[in-house]
Amino acid sequence: MQHLTRSRKRARDSGFTLLELLVVMVIIGLLAGYVAPRYFAQIGKSETKVARAQIDAFEKALEQYRLDTGHFPSGDQGLAALMVKPGEEAKWAGPYLKRAVPPDPWGRPYIYKSPGEHGEIDLISYGKDGKPGGQGDDADVTNW
């Protein structure tokens, strides 16, 4: 009989108390509050890195275009000239990109200027906010 009473007591004592569960929930909440902002800050940095990598790839493709034709595409032709031959371009040897020109990581088209204001060509993504200037995730990503 005494053996049966001990096993019932162990079964009753083996669960968690409400206080223990609350302590665990508070600890998990504190960890999430500390880790989540750091994690989401990394996401913004990765979008900026993708924009920089894409602009670098466009710049290399534009240089190849210039080597073949003797000039950069006009501002009116834009980056589309890297994929589709402009009608009047006899020396075009593209396509110069493997895939169509993607939008920037925030879903907006890249801005291409030829002649550029900061060099022969300007490539710009206005960042997360889509407006010139800004800091952090909203900062412009450019080729200059």
Side-chain angles (χ1 to χ4, degrees):
M1 197 57 130
Q2 190 177 22
H3 175 67
L4 186 58
T5 308
R6 274 193 218 156
S7 65
R8 283 185 185 164
K9 186 175 181 184
R10 271 193 221 135
R12 187 182 49 186
D13 293 341
S14 65
F16 294 106
T17 66
L18 180 60
L19 182 60
E20 289 170 329
L21 288 173
L22 287 173
V23 168
V24 169
M25 295 294 284
V26 167
I27 291 171
I28 290 172
L30 290 171
L31 286 173
Y34 178 74
V35 172
R38 294 177 186 271
Y39 172 74
F40 288 113
Q42 295 301 318
I43 291 174
K45 288 180 185 176
S46 67
E47 289 171 332
T48 301
K49 287 180 182 178
V50 167
R52 286 188 201 289
Q54 288 177 333
I55 284 175
D56 186 50
F58 298 152
E59 212 170 11
K60 288 177 178 150
L62 287 162
E63 285 293 338
Q64 187 61 48
Y65 181 102
R66 183 174 76 163
L67 287 173
D68 290 346
T69 64
H71 57 85
F72 288 112
S74 70
D76 292 337
Q77 292 169 331
L79 295 174
L82 297 173
M83 293 300 296
V84 179
K85 178 181 177 180
E88 69 281 352
E89 201 60 66
K91 296 180 182 179
W92 190 86
Y96 297 95
L97 296 171
K98 291 182 182 180
R99 296 186 186 100
V101 176
D104 71 10
W106 300 277
R108 289 182 286 281
Y110 284 95
I111 295 162
Y112 170 73
K113 295 180 183 177
S114 177
E117 298 169 11
H118 301 275
E120 291 182 82
I121 57 168
D122 289 351
L123 291 165
I124 308 163
S125 167
Y126 285 134
K128 186 176 181 179
D129 66 354
K131 299 175 186 171
Q135 295 180 347
D137 293 347
D138 295 335
D140 299 347
V141 183
T142 64
N143 67 323
W144 63 86

